[in-house]
Amino acid sequence: MGRKLLLEHINVPGINTFDVYRSKGGYAAVEKALKTLTPDEVVEEVKKSGLRGRGGAGFPTGMKWSFLAKPEGVERYLVCNADESEPGTFKDRYLMTHIPHLLIEGMIVASFALGAKTSYIYVRGEMMPQIRILERAIAEAKAKGFLGKNILGTDYSLELYVQPGGGAYICGEETALLESLEGKRGNPRIKPPFPAIAGLYGCPTVVNNVESIAAVVPIINDGGDEYAKLGIGRSTGTKLISAGGNLKNPGVYEIDLGLPVEEFLYSDEYCGGIANGKRLKAVVAGGSSVPILPANLFLKTINGEGRLMSYESLSDGGFVSGTMMGSGGFIAYDEDQCIVRNTWNFARFYHHESCGQCSPCREGTGWMEKVLHRLEYGHGKMSDMDLLVDVSKKIEGNTICPLGDAAAWPVASAIRHFRDEFEWHVTDSASATTRNYGIAHYADPLPKVEAAV
Amino acid sequence: MLSVQNTDMPVTFTPELISKFADVVSRYPEGKQKSALLPILHLVQAELGWVSAPAMDKVAEYLDIQPIEVYEVASFYTMYFLKPQGKYMLEVCRTGPCEIVGATPIMNHIEAKLGVKEGEVTTDGLFSWRGVECLAACGFGPVLQIGPEYTFYEKLTNESVDALISDLTAKANN
Ligand SMILES: Cc1cc2nc3c(=O)[nH]c(=O)nc-3n(C[C@H](O)[C@H](O)[C@H](O)COP(=O)(O)O)c2cc1C
Ligand code: SF4
Ligand code: FES
């Protein structure tokens, strides 16, 4: 069993209160950072840890922090991204609900490192209960001298606020989030300038995911080098995986990066296998935006090696035969699920959530939704699959923000790996509206490919 | 996207509500009070059940911004109701992971049980329902939430939905 860094105390009764959290060693990272380290030394530890952003893109956190511009006399901001709206992802909500002080502690240490005097946690508006939990935790921390003026008697002062969103997936994109925090529509900004130069109110800003910020706590407590010993290769440390879909034990798990996917999926310590004794058909490994893989390609790479839960192993094979770690939103599909219906559902989601600024995204997602709808409802044509791939290619890379890509990839990958199922919806549309295609060969062992790349 | 529904019903904000607005505004730097717009619209909706045009005009006045700046925000985000809804708005997640564990049958059940279509209000004014996108609880689906506190209900079944509707009806009639 892997070491837990974030969720170690999650089952301790009362861990959501300051006193219990503190009794378990909580806020030691704040004491250590503020009293014994300089801000640059904190950044250095995070760099050494190899921590990669847990919000989806996997960009090294320490490096992001070191890019922050520090012009004299200009405020700098840290904004925590707690918008968590990527379908399949529910780890941040879990962390904030059960162990809110871990996020608050991480925010204090990270704000200190960046020299921010005011920081915000942008939480999606639907998470009103979590907003209340965080506000209570902030008030407790402030009452104990860990927030506000001259924290722990040092000359560092910090105010921390929670900001609710208004219900829009796009506000998870960091520049849309900043627009929203400024009281505007969530339209992503054209980059550059990057937030590190001009972010909130035009000031240098770092935006980090909840889990990234929480991970700073064990990194400071144990040292970046210790953290980097966990995991595998450039996938250091632990990762929260939120596992849903047709699983026996859905939930949030903290894994050491590098855990074999087979173990994650089938061992009772984690997902416990597929619910109701069914077989696995497909997996979306990192949230709805990453390519979907059939069971066989998910469990083993095209070279026949067992896949691992790491950034590198999940993306092994590129988009031809691999996928991505993304946000850690793991969705398992059993033999009864329809890939066409699921792809339509996701296309509908992206069309609904497109902010509408770029025509390839606004129009393309609408087209994909329409075509997938007609395929699912038995009115599709054989040419529709090529049409979908064509539309997805026209969106990909041609938009202001990555939502366009996120909408294109699930469609392109579903057709790449499950084309026969899409074709069946056309050739036997009468059956396709009353039953599902089933597992087909998607779970069969892969033929051994020699010298594949 | 919804259009802003006009109404002549005048709106007054209570002193308690205004003091909540002021508390929100104090979180931002001088001159950046527009940042308070989303939180304030949530407060208005919690108080009035929806955000009407006169309410938005008053918010604009309070924040010293143009009314259009409020309308364009309120109509962009899905959480703000631009027309009156039932006292209890059941918002069911309809996205992929919930769909594969039964979101559509739950929505069909709610529609039949309440006898109103998505977005409509029951004749007693108590209930509305609609499908919404992923609520970050995908392992516990199907799920629904009810504002303004966004109370959460997980692993829904037809029976648990029936019990919830009875409970809320009883609560409203007491
Ligand atoms: C459409 C879209 C939605 C996103 N949603 C989220 C989200 O809900 N939470 C999150 O942390 N990052 C999200 N991201 C990624 C952020 O833009 C950003 O990369 C991230 O917050 C950076 O934090 P990290 O470096 O700690 O991962 C999203 C990106 C896109 C393009
Ligand atoms: S890609 Fe889509 S969501 Fe992103 S800015 Fe363009 S229209 Fe908006
Ligand atoms: S898909 Fe329903 S909560 Fe995520």
Side-chain angles (χ1 to χ4, degrees), chain B residues 14-63:
Chain B
T14 61
E16 294 79 51
L17 192 59
I18 298 279
S19 87
K20 285 185 191 167
F21 291 179
D23 176 54
V24 176
V25 168
S26 74
R27 299 170 191 169
Y28 317 104
E30 191 74 37
K32 303 296 180 192
Q33 76 282 1
K34 188 175 170 181
S35 279
L37 182 50
L38 275 74
I40 284 182
L41 288 174
H42 284 304
L43 291 169
V44 169
Q45 180 158 303
E47 183 96 352
L48 306 176
W50 65 298
V51 287
S52 64
M56 287 192 268
D57 293 345
K58 284 223 118 171
V59 168
E61 196 183 305
Y62 180 83
L63 289 176

Side-chain angles (χ1 to χ4, degrees), chain A residues 120 163 165 181 184 201 348, chain B residues 27-28 35 42 77 133 136:
Chain A
Y120 297 94
Q163 176 84 358
L181 180 46
K184 301 183 222 153
Y201 310 130
R348 183 195 51 74
Chain B
R27 299 170 191 169
Y28 317 104
S35 279
H42 284 304
Y77 296 94
E133 304 302 342

Side-chain angles (χ1 to χ4, degrees), chain A residues 9 17 34 39 95 107 118 123 138 168 187 197 219 228 230 233 235 266 280 285 296 360 401 417 432:
Chain A
H9 301 301
T17 63
L34 270 57
L95 191 148
M107 284 299 286
T118 310
V123 185
I138 288 172
N187 287 340
I197 309 296
I219 289 169
L230 296 173
S235 297
Y266 291 108
L280 179 71
N296 50 9
C401 93
H417 300 300

Side-chain angles (χ1 to χ4, degrees), chain B residues 13-132:
Chain B
F13 295 147
T14 61
E16 294 79 51
L17 192 59
I18 298 279
S19 87
K20 285 185 191 167
F21 291 179
D23 176 54
V24 176
V25 168
S26 74
R27 299 170 191 169
Y28 317 104
E30 191 74 37
K32 303 296 180 192
Q33 76 282 1
K34 188 175 170 181
S35 279
L37 182 50
L38 275 74
I40 284 182
L41 288 174
H42 284 304
L43 291 169
V44 169
Q45 180 158 303
E47 183 96 352
L48 306 176
W50 65 298
V51 287
S52 64
M56 287 192 268
D57 293 345
K58 284 223 118 171
V59 168
E61 196 183 305
Y62 180 83
L63 289 176
D64 195 16
I65 57 179
Q66 295 302 316
I68 183 69
E69 295 179 78
V70 183
Y71 300 167
E72 66 175 10
V73 161
S75 62
F76 181 85
Y77 296 94
T78 56
M79 290 179 74
Y80 304 117
F81 302 140
L82 300 181
K83 58 179 196 190
Q85 302 293 334
K87 181 175 166 72
Y88 304 108
M89 164 59 110
L90 313 187
E91 296 182 312
V92 185
C93 171
R94 62 177 176 185
T95 316
C98 279
E99 171 64 18
I100 65 173
V101 294
T104 296
I106 287 290
M107 286 191 281
N108 291 342
H109 180 75
I110 291 175
E111 177 163 357
K113 174 95 185 165
L114 296 178
V116 290
K117 292 211 170 340
E118 183 168 10
E120 293 175 358
V121 185
T122 52
T123 44
D124 58 7
L126 281 189
F127 293 100
S128 307
W129 72 274
R130 65 171 178 167
V132 294

Side-chain angles (χ1 to χ4, degrees), chain A residues 53-55 64 81 84-85 169 172-174 207-209 212 402:
Chain A
R54 303 299 195 220
K64 186 186 237 181
N81 187 342
E84 195 169 59
S85 314
Y169 167 66
E173 195 281 331
E174 57 185 9
V207 180
N208 272 136
N209 174 257
S212 313

Side-chain angles (χ1 to χ4, degrees), chain A residues 170 187-188 353-359 361-362 399-404:
Chain A
I170 191 56
N187 287 340
E353 299 300 331
S354 166
C355 84
Q357 278 193 113
C358 334
S359 26
C361 170
R362 182 187 63 237
T399 56
I400 293 175
C401 93
L403 185 140

